[in-house]
Every structure is written in C-alpha cells, then in structure tokens.
Amino acid sequence: MAEILFPALFILLALGLPVAFAMSIAVFVALSFGSSYPNLVVVKEMFSGLDSFPLLAVPFFILAAEIMTGGAVTMALLRLAQSLVGHLKGGLGHANVVSSAMFAGISGSALADAAGPGSMMIRMMEKGGYDRSYAGALTIASSVVGPIIPPSITMIIYAMQDQEVSVGSLFMAGVLPGVLITLLVLVANGYVSHRRGYVSGAPMPGLAEIFRIFVYAIPALLLIVLIVGGIRFGIFTPTEASVIAVFYALVVGMFVYRSLRLRDLPQIVLRAALTATAVLLILGAARAFAWVLIIEGVPQFLAETIIAWDLSPIVFLLAVNLLLLIFGLFMDPLPGVMILVPILAPIALALGIDANHFAIIVIVNLTLGLTTPPVGSLIFVVSSTVKLKPSALIREMPPFFVALFGALMLITFVPILSTWLPGVSGF
C-alpha cells in the first residue's frame, strides 16, 4: 500500500487539496487498490484518532485565544510591546516580534499569531514607512514562536504520540527556545532596519508610562502564568487548564477590559469552531495515514535501518533536521508530528537523546515548514492579509531564514536550552 499511498498524497497536494482531504483520499486510494481491507477502516481510524480526552484541550485553547483576542487583549499586548521597544531603530518591527512572543503565550498557534497581532502590526508598520512586503515577511518569521512558547497545540499532540514526555514538560522545554527564536528574529529585524533606514519616530516613554501600560496588560499576561503554573504544580491537567483558560478569558474580556459583549460570543465561538474543526480533521486524517504506515511496517523498517547504520547522536540529529525540513516543505506540523514521531522518537531514545530535547527539535523543525514554500501556511495567511503575492513575501525572507535556522542549530546542539527548565521544574 505504501507504494500507492505516498504518490497519491503528493499528487493530491500538488493539485492544491487541503492536507486533511489529501491524506484521507490517499488512504482510500491505497486501500482500494493495494489491499483487501474495507474502506470503512479509514473512518474507524479517523474517529479513533479523535477519541482522546487530552485532545479536548485543543478546541478549548483555540476558543480561549479567540475570546482573549475579542476582549482587547491583543491591543494591550501591542501597546506593551511598543512601549518597550518601539523607540529603537526598527522599533515597529521589534514591537511586531515582541507582541507575537507575548501572544504566543495565549494562542498556542503560529497562524493565530499571524492573523491576530500580526495583521494589526503590518498595518502599523506600513503607516510607519516600512515596505508592506517586509512587514509581512517579518510577521511570518515572528509568528513561528506561536507553537514553541507554551501553551502549544502542537506540544499537546506530540505528548500523545510519545509516552516519554508530558504536556507539562514540553511546555517548560519550549520557553527558552521560544525566547531564543524571538531574540534572533529581533537581531535580523535590527540588521535590515539599519540597512534600510527604518527609524522610529516615537520617543522613549517614561518609566511611569511603561509601568502604567504594563499594569494594564497584566490580566492578559497572567493567563500564561495560570496555565503553566497550574500544570506545573499539579493543580489541574492540560485539558482542565484549557477549560479554565476559557473562563478566565471570559472574565477578563467582560469585566476587566470590558470590551467583550455577550452579543460577540456567537461569532467568537463560530470562529473557534471552524478553526478547531480544521485542526481535528487534519489529526483524524493523520491517524488514518499513520495506521497504513504501521500496517505496512514502515516505522519498524525505518527504525531497524537507521539503528543498523550505527549513527552517533549528533549525526542522527543532523539527519533528522534534514528529513524534517524537507518534510515540512509539503506537510503541516500536526500531521507531521502524528506520522513521524512514532518512528523517530524511539530511535532518539535508544541513542540516549533526551526526550524533551528531541521533541523541541521536531516541533521547531516542523513549525519552520510553515514559513517555506510550496505549502507554507503562514505565507498564504499573511499574503491574504497584506494583499500581496506570496513571491513578494518570500523575497524578503532570507534574513529571517538565517535567524530561524540559526536558532534551530543552537537548539539542536545546545540541549540545555530544552532540558534545563523541565529539570528544575521537577519534570
């Protein structure tokens, strides 16, 4: 079946079908022409992939992010970011990056980062004299931290595929890599801003003004502390944390910022439902796709082959980086995690590679695929936002590719970035 499955998948992706439909149809084709299994197995496996209590956290975290965005949280974070770095050369670009890092602690999604604060910052940067295509490219790069800084939907899915890690340990493991990516994208923006003369016209605010803006943003920032702290100290599970995040977002939006009204909720719930449905369709299709690979013995064959090569851990990680970067060109992170982690994680464990370290390498690798053509979802989301062709955005990406891939190499070869916080946190 595998000899039919992969060609069918690539042909369907090349025709422009959404990933979920491409994988589902490819599995149907493989079963119809390469096996005696009934096609009903596909439906069964898709439902089995979604029949999971921890998976309930995904739609609730998506809903919490939508409520917080509707409750003026995005503007509070933008104002805080601008007060901290807006006066520097390339200040609006720096504010874009910092606000994305802050919003990542709420959304858990790169696409939500780009569509939320990213779209607002693009408009602000264009008014401030930045090229629209550059503002869009910077937003693509800054949104990468969405699935890295906790909470992260991708980490929840990863923990379901690898029993050696927990959602809590991955949340802690992602903090320093997320900060590293943010810092290197800031450096890239500073370099480009210096060369192009993107100066800030905003004066540096006084300490009193910064403190006032910070206090206003505290309710938004506390959501991150609530989620990570509650999971760390065993107060609630990640699934329970997602529900608590929804109620916290409602209270903050309606009674603290007072910008969320009851009549807004149906539209917010509808947007969250559509996003969650798209994510769950991908996960269900990926489960069916992975089932075919398991039936065919592909994971076992690859594992035995790689172990027989007797690779050192460093060479293995370099090979994994190359494989995942190529895989990310054609596949979104969530199906990538469901298909590849059951194959690669046991090999990494056998080679003595820390499970949290390897998980962050995989997640960062696959997330970078959102920034690369031909299937880079961030490119198309931002392209529709700025009304520019994807090619115009891609031409502005090289400085950010250098920053992002530099961060990936540091994360790969400096394990303490991913292992220190889980260790001191007791995971």
Side-chain angles (χ1 to χ4, degrees):
M1 286 190 288
E3 64 275 9
I4 299 175
L5 183 69
F6 286 105
L9 176 65
F10 289 127
I11 290 172
L12 292 168
L13 289 175
L15 292 174
L17 262 70
V19 173
F21 292 103
M23 286 194 295
S24 302
I25 295 172
V27 173
F28 272 115
V29 171
L31 289 177
S32 299
F33 296 99
S35 78
S36 58
Y37 290 101
N39 287 334
L40 189 62
V41 171
V42 180
V43 180
K44 172 186 173 297
E45 289 301 320
M46 291 181 71
F47 275 96
S48 297
L50 301 179
D51 185 17
S52 169
F53 179 74
L55 201 57
L56 283 173
V58 173
F60 280 112
F61 273 129
I62 292 172
L63 178 57
E66 288 286 351
I67 294 172
M68 291 292 271
T69 303
V73 171
T74 300
M75 188 54 65
L77 296 178
L78 286 178
R79 289 177 60 193
L80 178 59
Q82 196 163 359
S83 71
L84 294 174
V85 296
H87 60 281
L88 303 174
K89 179 171 285 191
L92 283 175
H94 290 326
N96 186 335
V97 179
V98 173
S99 63
S100 286
M102 293 178 181
F103 194 76
I106 296 172
S107 70
S109 165
L111 299 182
D113 268 19
S119 62
M120 298 173 69
M121 281 305 308
I122 289 171
R123 293 193 291 270
M124 293 171 63
M125 290 177 68
E126 190 175 7
K127 291 179 181 177
Y130 291 74
D131 291 338
R132 189 158 42 133
S133 55
Y134 175 75
L138 177 60
T139 298
I140 292 171
S142 66
S143 299
V144 165
V145 296
I148 313 301
I149 295 177
S152 165
I153 293 171
T154 308
M155 290 178 181
I156 294 171
I157 304 306
Y158 189 104
M160 293 172 60
Q161 310 305 314
D162 183 3
Q163 301 303 313
E164 298 297 323
V165 297
S166 67
V167 174
S169 70
L170 290 184
F171 279 7
M172 300 307 297
V175 173
L176 292 182
V179 171
L180 174 66
I181 292 171
T182 300
L183 291 175
L184 291 183
V185 174
L186 284 171
V187 170
N189 174 65
Y191 170 76
V192 175
S193 297
H194 180 78
R195 290 191 60 188
R196 298 188 183 183
Y198 292 144
V199 296
S200 173
M204 181 177 179
L207 291 178
E209 177 67 9
I210 293 176
F211 181 74
R212 186 184 65 81
I213 295 172
F214 173 74
V215 170
Y216 182 75
I218 283 178
L221 298 173
L222 278 179
L223 178 61
I224 309 169
V225 179
L226 176 68
I227 294 171
V228 177
I231 295 173
R232 161 62 187 88
F233 293 107
I235 301 172
F236 37 70
T237 66
T239 306
E240 293 164 346
S242 67
V243 179
I244 290 170
V246 170
F247 282 98
Y248 179 85
L250 283 171
V251 171
V252 168
M254 298 180 72
F255 303 110
V256 179
Y257 291 117
R258 298 185 178 181
S259 59
L260 183 64
R261 294 160 296 187
L262 284 175
R263 65 173 179 266
D264 299 328
L265 291 180
Q267 191 63 32
I268 289 173
V269 172
L270 177 61
R271 289 199 305 268
L274 290 174
T275 303
T277 299
V279 171
L280 294 175
L281 276 174
I282 291 173
L283 295 179
R287 169 60 182 260
F289 194 93
W291 175 83
V292 173
L293 296 182
I294 293 170
I295 290 298
E296 289 289 280
V298 173
Q300 299 91 323
F301 171 77
L302 289 177
E304 292 170 0
T305 301
I306 294 173
I307 292 173
W309 289 343
D310 196 24
L311 300 176
S312 69
I314 291 178
V315 174
F316 172 73
L317 288 178
L318 286 173
V320 166
N321 277 324
L322 180 61
L323 168 67
L324 294 178
L325 289 173
I326 294 173
F327 191 89
L329 295 175
F330 306 100
M331 191 71 71
D332 285 343
L334 294 182
V337 165
M338 293 192 69
I339 293 170
L340 295 177
V341 169
I343 300 173
L344 299 175
I347 303 173
L349 185 65
L351 292 174
I353 299 170
D354 183 87
N356 287 308
H357 178 214
F358 185 74
I360 297 301
I361 292 173
V362 171
I363 292 169
V364 172
N365 258 298
L366 293 175
T367 303
L368 292 186
L370 295 173
T371 71
T372 54
V375 189
S377 300
L378 280 173
I379 297 174
F380 295 103
V381 168
V382 175
S383 173
S384 64
T385 299
V386 298
K387 302 297 188 290
L388 283 174
K389 292 182 178 179
S391 57
L393 298 172
I394 294 169
R395 282 196 295 269
E396 297 281 4
M397 285 298 295
F400 303 119
F401 283 143
V402 172
L404 294 172
F405 293 135
L408 175 61
M409 290 297 101
L410 286 172
I411 292 167
T412 299
F413 295 112
V414 185
I416 197 171
L417 289 169
S418 308
T419 59
W420 181 71
L421 267 181
V424 299
S425 301
F427 287 104

